[in-house]
Amino acid sequence: MRSSFSCIYLYADESGDTGLTASPTKYFILSSLVVHETRWRDFLNDIVTFRRHLRATKGLKLREEIHAAPFITNPGALVRIRRNDRLDILKQCLDFLSNRSDIRICTVVVNKTTKQAGYDVFENAWQALIQRFDNTLRNRNYPGAFADQRGLVLPDNTDGGKLTTLLRKMRHYNPVPNNVAHQTVGAGYRNLALQSVIEDPFMKDSAHSFIHQLVDVVAYAARQLYEPNAYMRSKQGHNFYARLRPVLNAYANRAHPLHLVQL
């Protein structure tokens, strides 16, 4: 008889671009949020309640997308909501997430200024995120300690073909540097092929996904740690990511106080 397994969904979104030359950003940010299948419906229902609260108190309609970067600097029709209120919406999004016990957040940060020509920002960031996802799954370290965990990747619109190719490759070849923690002698790499991430990535459009809109806010807050714009710095926005401390995946990087994976 086959053993049953439970599925954990990883929602991911990006901030910044992957270009190394003539790029307006120095960092590429890839953030993710995971939630177990048995908690997904409650999570979504709570988000809808939260969005209704924002509609009642801030005038943000449920059909209007929270896209953090333009939300602050180029809001378009949302200019009708005062800038301070738009900033408060972002803070409330982060606080809504930080008060949950059924999710975990992980962020990969690529410092593009230190990379040589030919470095693939997209592939390295996603490889690092998927590795952490798979490792946390196989060690059953997500909330609930469900046995035999499996994971499904649901990115916001990105280079789906490239991501699918990468994930398929990692199921067979996933080189990870040797280190003392794994009691491996000498330098070199181990092939830790993915064990717990199933299927190809399923692309989502954040305009139609409340969960992805929250992850977009997470990625934006992470980016403000490294290159805050003038307005966010004046409002202490470069400290917003720390509001997520209770739900950060500590297994991603125990050495960093905010468990950021820095490349």
Side-chain angles (χ1 to χ4, degrees):
M1 179 180 296
R2 294 182 179 179
S3 61
S4 61
F5 65 85
S6 58
C7 191
I8 291 181
Y9 305 130
L10 179 144
Y11 292 82
D13 205 350
E14 305 163 351
S15 182
D17 68 282
T18 59
L20 288 179
T21 59
S23 170
T25 65
K26 297 180 180 178
Y27 294 87
F28 176 72
I29 309 293
L30 178 61
S31 291
S32 66
L33 177 153
V34 301
V35 60
H36 191 272
E37 61 178 343
T38 61
R39 296 294 302 155
W40 182 87
R41 184 59 182 266
D42 288 340
F43 183 41
L44 182 60
N45 287 343
D46 290 346
I47 295 174
V48 172
T49 300
F50 171 62
R51 288 297 302 261
R52 287 173 176 159
H53 160 75
L54 293 180
R55 181 180 62 187
T57 60
K58 304 294 186 181
L60 180 70
K61 300 172 185 177
L62 270 71
R63 68 173 181 271
E64 293 178 312
E65 182 179 4
I66 300 176
H67 191 191
F71 203 69
I72 292 297
T73 59
N74 187 24
L78 293 177
V79 72
R80 71 176 190 277
I81 302 174
R82 293 184 308 171
R83 198 180 200 187
N84 281 348
D85 284 334
R86 299 198 305 271
L87 179 68
D88 188 58
I89 287 173
L90 298 189
K91 287 194 290 187
Q92 287 195 49
C93 288
L94 297 172
D95 291 343
F96 168 81
L97 294 174
S98 71
N99 285 321
R100 301 200 66 86
S101 61
D102 52 2
I103 66 168
R104 287 294 180 267
I105 285 169
C106 176
T107 294
V108 176
V109 181
V110 181
N111 181 354
K112 298 190 296 179
T113 66
T114 64
K115 304 300 182 283
Q116 300 295 320
Y119 182 89
D120 193 320
V121 174
F122 179 94
E123 181 168 314
N124 280 280
W126 271 104
Q127 184 175 26
L129 180 65
I130 293 169
Q131 284 174 343
R132 269 66 178 185
F133 185 39
D134 189 71
N135 289 342
T136 309
L137 285 166
R138 74 169 76 189
N139 289 295
R140 302 176 185 177
N141 283 327
Y142 282 123
F146 296 94
D148 201 11
Q149 298 178 352
R150 295 291 185 270
L152 190 65
V153 177
L154 297 98
D156 186 17
N157 285 337
T158 187
D159 190 337
K162 187 172 182 178
L163 180 57
T164 297
T165 298
L166 172 64
L167 200 151
R168 289 179 179 180
K169 182 181 74 173
M170 291 176 69
R171 291 201 178 100
H172 303 280
Y173 180 64
N174 179 33
V176 177
N178 291 331
N179 57 51
V180 176
H182 289 86
Q183 299 179 344
T184 305
V185 178
Y189 292 81
R190 309 176 309 286
N191 181 28
L192 295 183
L194 298 183
Q195 298 291 323
S196 300
V197 179
I198 62 173
E199 257 294 356
D200 292 335
F202 283 84
M203 305 298 149
K204 299 276 289 182
D205 186 341
S206 62
H208 307 294
S209 171
F210 284 156
I211 298 178
H212 275 103
Q213 291 175 39
L214 290 173
V215 183
D216 176 82
V217 176
V218 171
Y220 181 75
R223 185 175 166 197
Q224 298 307 305
L225 277 168
Y226 294 88
E227 44 185 352
N229 59 53
Y231 177 76
M232 292 297 286
R233 182 181 291 278
S234 71
K235 299 296 183 179
Q236 297 298 305
H238 56 293
N239 295 321
F240 281 7
Y241 191 81
R243 303 172 87 97
L244 295 166
R245 197 183 303 273
V247 292
L248 298 177
N249 180 6
Y251 301 97
N253 182 8
R254 293 180 181 275
H256 193 284
L258 294 176
H259 310 298
L260 292 159
V261 180
Q262 298 178 302
L263 302 180

